[in-house]
Each structure stands twice: as C-alpha cells, then as structure tokens.
Amino acid sequence: MLIKDGIIVEIGDAAGRLANEELNAEECLVLPGFVNPHLHLDKALLGERINREITGHNESTSLASSVTPLAAAAAGAALVDEGLELAYKLKPNFTVSDVRERAVRVLREAVRYGTTAMRAFADVGTIGGLVPVEGLLRAREEMKDMIDLQIGAFPEEGLICDPGAEELLEEAMKMGADVVAGLPGFELTDADGRLHVDFCFDLAKRYARPLHLFIDPSEDPNSRNLEYLAVKILREGGHEGRVTVSWDALAAYNDVYATKIIALAKAAGINFVSTPPVALIFYGRVSRIQELLSAGVNIACGQDCVNDTYYPFGKPDQLEVAFFMSHVAKLKHVPDDLYTVIDMITVNAAKVLELQEYGCEVGCRADLVVLDAQSVHEALRIRSERRAVIKSGRLVAESRVETTLFG
Ligand SMILES: [Zn+2]
C-alpha cells in the first residue's frame, strides 16, 4: 500500500519502490481506522472521583442546588437515575481544563486501540453550562493530528424541563460543536418529548449539522419518540441521512409495532448506533439488531461510557465493542456475520459521522489500523494487538506484546 500526502495512492506489489518511510505489515490484517460514533467524553473517568468527592451516595441524597424542581422531578423519574444523580453532583465542579484532561487521556487510549475518528458528546444544561463543550473543543484541538473528533452538544437534563437549556444548546453550536444531540425521552410528558425533538431537529437544520438523538433510553414499550421522529423526517424532509438515533426502545416494543417502526426508520434514512457494553449492563439486551440488519438499516456500534457515573468499565476499544455486539446480536457465522460486526465499527460508523474518503481503497484517506491477525475472525477472537495506527498517512501509535512460554 503506497501512501502519499495522507492518501492511499496504490495497492499492490510495491517491491522495488522507494518510500521515505516503510512499515512492514507482513502477515497482518489492515483495516480502515475504527470509528466510535457514541462516547460521553466529558464524563469519562469520573469513576475515579466518585468515592473521593461524594460520600454516602447510596443514602438519601439531595441534588445539586442549582437544579430546578422540574429538572429534579425528571431526574427522579428517569430510569437511569443513580448514574444521572451522580453526574448532577459532579458536574457543577467541572472545569474546562479538567474536562479537557480527562478527554485527552481517553482519546489517547482510543488511538492506541486503533480509533481514528469519534463522535463524542458534551453535556449542555443549566447545571454545567457550556464548560463540557469548551473542554472538548480544547481536547479536539490538542488531538487533531491523531484523531478526528466530532462534538455533539447534548442536553442531558432535558430542554423543556430545563429552562435555559435551549439557548445554551444553540450557543454550543455557535462555539463550534459539530452535532445537535438530544434526549426527548427524558422530558416529563410525551408532548414535551415531541417539543424536544422539534427543537433539536430545527436547530440541526438551521446550522446544517447532523442530529443525534438518544431517543427513548428506557424499556418503556409505550415510548413513541422514534415514531414521531421518523414521520417528521418523512413529512418535512430536508435532513436525509443526517439523523442518527441511539438508545431506541425497539426491543421493548411488541413485534408488530417494532416492524412498523423499523420500516419507518428505514424509509426516513435514520442511522442507528447501539452501545452493547452499557446496554447490557442496564437492560441485558440491545436493540433489534437482526431485524434492523434485515431491513437494510445502517447500524453502527460504539463504546458509550468509559468509567463514568453510569458504567464502571469501558475500554475505548472498538474491537471489544464489536466483540460484545457479536454476542448480544448472535452474529457468529464465519465470515459473513463477523464482517458485519466489523462494518459496525468501520464503514457503518463512518457513515454516521459523514466521513469522506473513508476506507482501505485507492483514493481514501490513509487512516488505518494494522492488526496482528491473519483474519477478521482471529482479530475478533483474541482482540488482536494493534501493531500500528496510522492517521492521515502518519504513524500515530505502535504496540508490541511479547510473551515467552517456558515449557
Ligand atoms: Zn450515551
């Protein structure tokens, strides 16, 4: 593979050709750089300070004093309330440099495991203001030669139930956030959820940015925000292919209704992002992956959390995420199912991020990961070492593991 000015210019027998730099990838598997379409970088590694900054959090607790009664009621009603409550408490103490520092640590680890592009979310709301967005903007700048970072402005405390958050969300877009994110299922009523979808959709269109909604993060079979979103896209149009959902409630719906919603989502061109490690620990299952695949819907998968208030684990390793996905979605047939899960962390995720010139072909940008594996099967089976990671033609990480067995 010959790379010039960061672009793959030739693939084939390069014997006898001269290059300024050479990387021997003999007997290795070369894939396009991994893409993580969903990670809360602003809250990453908060697990390190939960015990230090919060004592007795399992006893009766009061939320941060800055939270309005409406927001407190919404938090209390949310099914993920413990992680949320901890986040509420820690968020007022965030500083720009603290967010930046935690984000950079995780980004460097992600690069080491072969991720060359990521969509990360920064909370926006009246508790933490725009500090998380500012922190991620700085991390993006600091890491720009190693990883493409998209920042999604994410109203974690809702919009309708957090007066002032709408203005902050728009301000985040002006500051340089790349993606409008939303959480309509957090609102207190179905009508408010629809207003939340309306506001985010309109903001994304006005700023010509992708929309990424954490649509119905619950096991509530009555959640209807995905239906509303799909029909809205079909009726109003104008943002085709630029809308992604995570945390859908498809698995909780009955089969008839789920079939209808998948058909609507397909027609509306909605991308899906599933985050198997965190979904498993919350619900013991993920979305209806097999049905979405059968319908031809674009599905990617990501590592949602890295040691934050919601999830104590989380290695920013997309190969591990794909490994989880193959289990929970029962994708086990060699090689086709395994190619499918690799697509979820490469080409499908690249489509979510709207990456141009992505892939392992001539003319593509040389964002590559070199795995110490002979096949995709082997890479997934042992989550092979990432020998080298290349970003825009430049070597950005190299790893070696040496083991000696005595006997
Ligand atoms: Zn998430």
Side-chain angles (χ1 to χ4, degrees), residues 38 40 214 247 304:
H38 184 147
H40 299 272
F214 304 175
W247 290 100
D304 209 322

Side-chain angles (χ1 to χ4, degrees), residues 21-28 30 370 387-388 390 398 400:
E21 277 178 83
E22 282 182 26
L23 183 78
N24 185 355
E26 205 173 348
E27 312 227 321
C28 289
V30 181
V370 180
R387 281 242 194 122
I390 295 164
E398 208 168 24
R400 285 276 181 280

Side-chain angles (χ1 to χ4, degrees), residues 38-40 43 121 154 156 212 214 246-247 275 278 303-305 308 310:
H38 184 147
L39 177 64
H40 299 272
K43 294 193 285 280
F121 297 96
F154 173 48
E156 189 183 46
H212 194 137
F214 304 175
S246 291
W247 290 100
T275 58
V278 182
Q303 177 55 273
D304 209 322
C305 303
D308 60 18
Y310 297 96

Side-chain angles (χ1 to χ4, degrees), residues 87-102:
Y88 269 36
K89 290 181 172 177
L90 292 167
K91 229 180 279 188
N93 300 327
F94 282 9
T95 64
V96 171
S97 66
D98 146 58
V99 173
R100 180 201 58 79
E101 185 263 333
R102 285 184 287 107

Side-chain angles (χ1 to χ4, degrees), residues 310-322:
Y310 297 96
Y311 184 70
F313 313 115
K315 184 169 142 184
D317 179 355
Q318 284 293 84
L319 201 55
E320 187 175 278
V321 172

